[in-house]
């Protein structure tokens, strides 16, 4: 009698079709959910109306977020910046971010500007030396100049009108 009851409870057994593939776990959603739960536990609140966020790296590059979602928990000293971002060089964002730079970055920026001007001067001097070397080697520097005016066009046009 007990055997008959056990056979009726059984959902699978002889003659049932096996499952072909295993159900895949979706870990990306679960990671995001775990992160959101952790942030909620910290008590973060959204900060509206932030247009851009710039994170300055030690290698003088900038991680630039445009229209990010910013959340903060001041009590836990935690800030969350999320959204699409780009990694750019400091020089690419220069005119707009000077007000955001601290003293250390301003010093490195001035050093970078000095190096840039020195490099430009060196390139100009090298180009000038190369041009001077070509002129003395050829001995004929009339190729690059505009030719002198030989005839007077007014006289030629008047003589053409008189003969016609």
């Amino acid at each position: 009698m007990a055997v008959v009851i056990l056979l009726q409870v059984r959902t699978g057994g002889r003659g049932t079709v096996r499952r072909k593939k295993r159900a895949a776990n979706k870990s990306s959603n679960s990671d995001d959910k775990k992160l959101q739960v952790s942030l909620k536990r910290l008590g973060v609140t959204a900060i509206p109306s932030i247009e851009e966020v710039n994170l300055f790296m030690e290698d003088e590059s900038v991680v630039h977020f445009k229209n990010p979602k910013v959340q903060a928990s001041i009590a836990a000293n935690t800030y969350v910046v999320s959204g699409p971002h780009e990694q750019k060089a400091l020089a690419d964002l220069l005119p707009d971010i000077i007000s955001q730079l601290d003293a250390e970055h301003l010093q490195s920026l001035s050093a970078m500007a000095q190096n840039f001007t020195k490099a430009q001067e060196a390139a100009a001097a090298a180009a000038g030396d190369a041009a001077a070397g070509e002129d003395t080697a050829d001995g004929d520097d009339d190729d690059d100049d505009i030719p002198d005016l030989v005839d007077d066009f007014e006289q030629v046009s008047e003589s053409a009108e008189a003969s016609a």
Side-chain angles (χ1 to χ4, degrees):
M1 182 96 178
V3 176
V4 173
I5 294 174
L6 286 176
L7 291 176
Q8 292 174 350
V9 175
R10 183 187 287 180
T11 56
R14 289 185 148 191
T16 58
V17 180
R18 288 189 177 190
R19 193 183 320 177
K20 302 264 187 205
K21 64 178 181 177
R22 248 182 141 176
N25 294 335
K26 295 183 180 179
S27 63
S28 64
N29 289 339
S30 66
D31 289 344
D32 190 37
K33 288 179 184 176
K34 287 180 185 179
L35 178 65
Q36 292 300 325
V37 167
S38 298
L39 290 175
K40 187 180 272 186
R41 196 175 304 142
L42 288 173
V44 296
T45 56
I47 301 175
S49 304
I50 293 184
E51 295 175 3
E52 71 174 0
V53 173
N54 293 318
L55 299 176
F56 297 96
M57 308 303 279
E58 291 181 1
D59 62 349
E60 296 186 5
S61 64
V62 179
V63 178
H64 177 74
F65 291 86
K66 190 164 189 152
N67 295 326
K69 178 181 176 186
V70 179
Q71 299 171 321
S73 172
I74 297 173
N77 196 20
T78 304
Y79 298 90
V80 179
V81 180
S82 59
H85 66 280
E86 298 174 342
Q87 186 149 357
K88 296 183 176 182
L90 183 63
D92 294 343
L93 299 172
L94 249 190
D96 299 332
I97 63 168
I98 289 179
S99 63
Q100 300 173 8
L101 297 175
D102 61 348
E104 180 182 327
H105 283 98
L106 283 175
Q107 289 174 353
S108 67
L109 182 63
S110 63
M112 188 184 339
Q114 289 174 351
N115 290 340
F116 182 72
T117 55
K118 287 179 184 177
Q120 280 188 335
E121 290 172 357
D129 291 343
E134 288 177 5
D135 289 343
T136 57
D138 292 342
D140 185 23
D141 59 321
D142 292 338
D143 296 339
D144 296 334
D145 294 336
I146 299 173
D148 293 332
L149 185 61
V150 178
D151 294 327
D152 187 13
F153 291 109
E154 291 177 2
Q155 291 176 355
V156 171
S157 65
E158 288 175 5
S159 64
E161 288 177 6
S163 64

